[in-house]
Amino acid sequence: DIQMTQSPSSLSASVGDRVTITCRTSQNIVRYLNWYQQKPGKAPQLLISFASSLQSGVPSRFGGSGSGTDFTLTISSLQPEDFSTYYCQQSFSTPFTFGPGTKVDIK
Amino acid sequence: QVQLVQSGAEVKKPGASVKVSCKASGYTFTNFYLHWVRQAPGQGLEWMGLINPSDSTTNYAQNFQGRVTMTRDTSTSTVYMELSSLRSDDTAVYYCSRGGEMSTDTPFDFWGQGILVTVSS
């Protein structure tokens, strides 16, 4: 199975801050890396697919990069509605593993 | 619009089975894989497996092999997930989510609202 790690596991930030979350995989997954946002009590929502492709309707302040085993989710200017938990997930091979999540809360 | 509507919450005793449903609408049901993902209270996301609604082929995560069965009913555009030999650590919210069109290496772009399954004596 492909193991996923995320860092940090949590962070505190202010509105307007630039936030970077890192995801690392245990083997090369090319660019089969997706990012999801989950708010409490809600289903996850797809933000970015294939490492850097922004989903329709997702604000442009979200961006993704990386390939191989190292990937990054960046929020260029944090907004109040962005305080959530973020998960990376690989869709390279089954089982389609998720990272442990990064909780972004208000400083 | 694409919708995945899941059945209601369940409470089960240890050792029992639970069967939950996910009704799809707004797209061609047989063209897209459907996945099941669960989330224990306060924990992360765990992929359980997938079903191809076109031919009902399945792929289950090793952690659930022998305990999970995913089926579909094309007449109602519904997929089902049955988990047997329930334990307390199966208490979780169970989500169905839509995968790729004719491919598995794609993200999950739509999700059901989730079903809380509680296993308690």
Side-chain angles (χ1 to χ4, degrees), chain A residues 60-101:
Chain A
S60 59
R61 62 181 179 271
F62 289 93
S65 64
S67 65
T69 61
D70 293 291
F71 300 88
T72 299
L73 172 69
T74 301
I75 309 172
S76 60
S77 177
L78 200 65
Q79 297 302 300
E81 60 269 30
D82 301 338
F83 292 97
S84 302
T85 300
Y86 295 86
Y87 295 94
C88 59
Q89 178 229 9
Q90 62 84 14
S91 51
F92 180 77
S93 66
T94 59
F96 294 131
T97 39
F98 291 84

Side-chain angles (χ1 to χ4, degrees), chain A residues 7-67:
Chain A
S7 60
S9 57
S10 64
L11 66 91
S12 294
S14 301
V15 172
D17 283 353
R18 181 180 181 89
V19 168
T20 299
I21 299 168
T22 297
C23 178
R24 181 162 292 170
T25 60
S26 61
Q27 63 188 75
N28 185 347
I29 62 167
V30 197
R31 293 176 61 83
Y32 291 93
L33 191 284
N34 312 302
W35 290 97
Y36 299 84
Q37 177 191 61
Q38 186 179 33
K39 298 185 178 181
K42 300 294 186 182
Q45 177 184 353
L46 178 65
L47 295 177
I48 289 171
S49 59
F50 300 110
S52 61
S53 180
L54 200 65
Q55 289 300 108
S56 174
V58 175
S60 59
R61 62 181 179 271
F62 289 93
S65 64
S67 65

Side-chain angles (χ1 to χ4, degrees), chain A residues 94-107:
Chain A
T94 59
F96 294 131
T97 39
F98 291 84
T102 295
K103 184 176 182 179
V104 177
D105 61 22
I106 302 172
K107 182 184 286 184

